[in-house]
Amino acid sequence: MDELLRDRLLIMVNDQLAIDMLPHVPARTGGLVLTGAAAPVRCREIRNVLPKTVVAMDYCSHTQQTATADAPFCIKTPYGWRRLDLAGLSEILDGQRDNKASYAVTPTCFIPADQVGDASVLKAVIRQANQLRRDDTLLLLPCSWRWFQRSALPHLAEQIQTSRHPVALIVQADGDPLERKQVPEGLRQLCRSCPRLVLWRTDLAAFDAMAHGALGAAVGASAVLRHGVMPRPDSAGGGHKPYPVVLVRRLLRYHRVATLDDWFAHVDPWTCTCAVCDGAALTRFTDSDADVLAALQHTVRELYSLHEELEATLPGDERIGWWRQQLADAWDYHRLLASQTDTEVSFPKVLQAWRRPSPPALPAAEAYRAQGQVDPS
């Protein structure tokens, strides 16, 4: 599992768009995480044709159900929500593998902030997962952003370090979780302290995490898949018409094309040389279905272009130095854009946070790293 996920950048996408993303995902360093009702069928279809492509599924239980110490895992069925004991959890994981998933992902419910200081829900998730005697499983931890505050972070790290399985971590908040106080620093410390961590359902934070020691990451293709959400039990989804959003790599930011139109109303727009754009302007995307899809494909291409550079660096100081240079370049491009367009262009809070010096690993992490392996008990 560790070698399968090491330095791998996955794209999280709804099953309906999976086939359209495939040509833009490199087999050696990339892969897909599928969501949606047809994820098992789509996973099987892709792996039948492209057996070397890494594909997994996220059943998104965390978007509708909150975990308890008695029921940390559950799955939606035609008859309602089913709480999973150890046998039921194994059955669900086996089902993912039977549908040819490259590895299984636990259907973990949302883990709220610890209110009483005993971390009982988090401990229950880890304890039950540790009873699974299998080597093909990724433990999903969808956590409130409050776990990344200084008072709670050591407890989160301690529990992650006891997991027999690599851990896929989701950070939940209303809005961008990395704009919450102490979260960017806390996530960096966690990545430095827990080397078997995969940042899940995220955005460009994937690169900050991998630069600081995370095993890999899964970036959402669309905005709704780029950070955790509060559980909404009655949410049916749908009814929302997508609009074109593009990753502007030079700025290290996602933007609506409408914003780019405003910026470049009186000057020539920036262009892109990715395989989707081939030198065309980033402002060309309309709200047609074809253009919304093309904007997604452009973004995936740009993510893997950035990832190719990251992978070419050595983990540790060299990789952190590369990332700091990307952030410095983004700062310069923000100033250039403001000058070219005579527009006020703010430098986002999260990019400001990432430009700050990197914090050290948590003190207890050194003993964990020296141990060399996780105690399965």
Side-chain angles (χ1 to χ4, degrees):
M1 280 291 293
D2 288 39
E3 291 310 309
L4 178 68
L5 294 168
R6 191 175 309 281
D7 277 351
R8 191 172 294 275
L9 183 69
L10 303 160
I11 302 298
M12 182 173 285
V13 63
N14 185 274
D15 59 74
Q16 297 177 5
L17 294 174
I19 302 301
D20 294 308
M21 294 298 111
L22 265 180
H24 308 281
V25 175
R28 186 181 66 84
T29 59
L32 295 176
V33 179
L34 305 182
T35 66
V41 175
R42 192 71 69 241
C43 179
R44 190 168 62 249
E45 291 173 346
I46 293 171
R47 293 271 290 170
N48 281 340
V49 177
L50 300 168
K52 293 185 178 180
T53 300
V54 173
V55 186
M57 292 174 269
D58 183 346
Y59 287 151
C60 296
S61 300
H62 50 87
T63 66
Q64 297 188 46
Q65 295 292 309
T66 299
T68 65
D70 295 329
F73 304 100
C74 69
I75 193 164
K76 194 171 187 178
T77 74
Y79 310 102
W81 286 92
R82 174 189 171 194
R83 295 184 176 185
L84 301 174
D85 58 12
L86 189 62
L89 180 57
S90 294
E91 176 188 341
I92 295 303
L93 300 176
D94 286 340
Q96 294 180 38
R97 297 287 280 153
D98 289 344
N99 281 294
K100 300 195 174 182
S102 304
Y103 51 91
V105 180
T106 60
T108 317
C109 301
F110 169 68
I111 303 171
D114 185 21
Q115 299 296 328
V116 295
D118 62 359
S120 59
V121 176
L122 179 62
K123 289 177 180 177
V125 173
I126 303 289
R127 182 172 60 250
Q128 187 165 325
N130 277 353
Q131 296 177 50
L132 296 167
R133 299 295 163 171
R134 48 195 307 152
D135 59 4
D136 62 351
T137 299
L138 186 63
L139 173 59
L140 186 61
L141 289 186
C143 293
S144 165
W145 67 272
R146 296 183 184 278
W147 280 103
F148 296 83
Q149 295 182 307
R150 293 189 190 98
S151 58
L153 187 66
H155 303 293
L156 178 60
E158 179 183 9
Q159 291 305 309
I160 289 175
Q161 290 165 4
T162 65
S163 173
R164 296 186 68 248
H165 315 280
V167 168
L169 183 72
I170 298 176
V171 187
Q172 177 278 326
D174 293 326
D176 187 346
L178 292 173
E179 291 188 354
R180 301 282 184 159
K181 189 176 181 180
Q182 300 177 12
V183 172
E185 179 184 49
L187 183 56
R188 281 180 166 182
Q189 285 191 287
L190 202 65
C191 291
R192 287 192 145 185
S193 307
C194 305
R196 304 182 76 213
L197 198 66
V198 178
L199 191 58
W200 202 254
R201 200 180 177 110
T202 189
D203 52 18
L204 292 172
F207 296 95
D208 192 76
M210 285 193 283
H212 286 84
L215 195 60
V219 175
S222 56
V224 72
L225 295 176
R226 284 198 278 268
H227 62 79
V229 297
M230 284 295 294
R232 295 175 175 86
D234 300 323
S235 175
H240 170 69
K241 180 175 174 56
Y243 47 81
V245 173
V246 294
L247 172 59
V248 183
R249 178 178 167 176
R250 281 176 280 189
L251 301 178
L252 292 180
R253 293 175 70 176
Y254 294 88
H255 275 294
R256 291 190 184 190
V257 173
T259 301
L260 303 186
D261 285 334
D262 290 341
W263 283 346
F264 295 105
H266 305 293
V267 296
D268 291 338
W270 285 358
T271 59
C272 174
T273 59
C274 79
V276 174
C277 297
D278 193 24
L282 287 174
T283 54
R284 74 185 188 282
F285 300 104
T286 69
D287 61 358
S288 71
D289 290 345
D291 274 3
V292 170
L293 175 60
L296 282 175
Q297 292 169 329
H298 149 83
T299 292
V300 171
R301 284 282 182 175
E302 290 290 78
L303 286 168
Y304 280 113
S305 175
L306 195 60
H307 180 250
E308 185 178 3
E309 291 187 16
L310 176 140
E311 195 199 15
T313 63
L314 293 174
D317 290 342
E318 181 180 330
R319 186 163 290 185
I320 290 175
W322 167 83
W323 179 234
R324 291 190 64 80
Q325 185 60 55
Q326 303 304 307
L327 294 164
D329 291 346
W331 167 257
D332 290 339
Y333 275 119
H334 275 79
R335 292 192 297 174
L336 175 63
L337 178 63
S339 173
Q340 288 179 340
T341 61
D342 195 23
T343 304
E344 184 177 346
V345 182
S346 62
F347 195 64
K349 289 182 180 178
V350 65
L351 297 187
Q352 295 177 36
W354 288 340
R355 292 196 74 191
R356 297 181 192 129
S358 300
L362 294 165
E366 296 306 319
Y368 167 67
R369 288 181 179 275
Q371 182 182 353
Q373 61 182 8
V374 177
D375 182 357
S377 61

